[in-house]
Amino acid sequence: MIVPTVRVTDMARAVDFYTHVLDFAQVGTWPAMADPSFSVLTRDGAELHLSSHGGDGVIGQAIAVLVPEVDALFAQFRAHGLDPAHKPQSPVHQGPTDQSWGTREFYADDPDGNTLRFIRR
């Protein structure tokens, strides 16, 4: 299993976004909900790590999340507060898009500008 670590600048803000908007479950944060710290999240059996430690990755990365259905998931995230208004020129941020390579996907940016690409193959 490969588990991505996403670099964030404010752990409390990041955990709030990932758990309330993107429906991840928080397993734990160490040493505490402060900075720097490290959090483990899960969603649909997959694990994601968040780190506010300076040496753990870079801000602005992209993470692919394979899902069985994107349209209902996008609607669910929008109902929980996902706001794509910051990327009006990006159709894939505005809603699920059929890509020429055969996937249907949408993108969601966290508060630090890391992009989660929700993809149905």
Side-chain angles (χ1 to χ4, degrees), residues 76-89:
Q76 177 183 337
F77 290 173
R78 290 282 290 148
H80 291 162
L82 180 65
D83 182 7
H86 69 286
K87 295 255 179 131
Q89 303 301 334

Side-chain angles (χ1 to χ4, degrees), residues 28-94:
T29 299
W30 300 272
M33 188 60 73
D35 296 301
S37 61
F38 186 86
S39 289
V40 175
L41 308 176
T42 60
R43 185 175 196 292
D44 296 331
E47 194 167 297
L48 179 70
H49 296 172
L50 303 178
S51 176
S52 60
H53 291 275
D56 286 346
V58 296
I59 300 294
Q61 63 186 296
I63 304 291
V65 182
L66 302 178
V67 295
E69 209 289 316
V70 294
D71 293 275
L73 189 60
F74 182 75
Q76 177 183 337
F77 290 173
R78 290 282 290 148
H80 291 162
L82 180 65
D83 182 7
H86 69 286
K87 295 255 179 131
Q89 303 301 334
S90 174
V92 79
H93 277 84
Q94 303 310 309

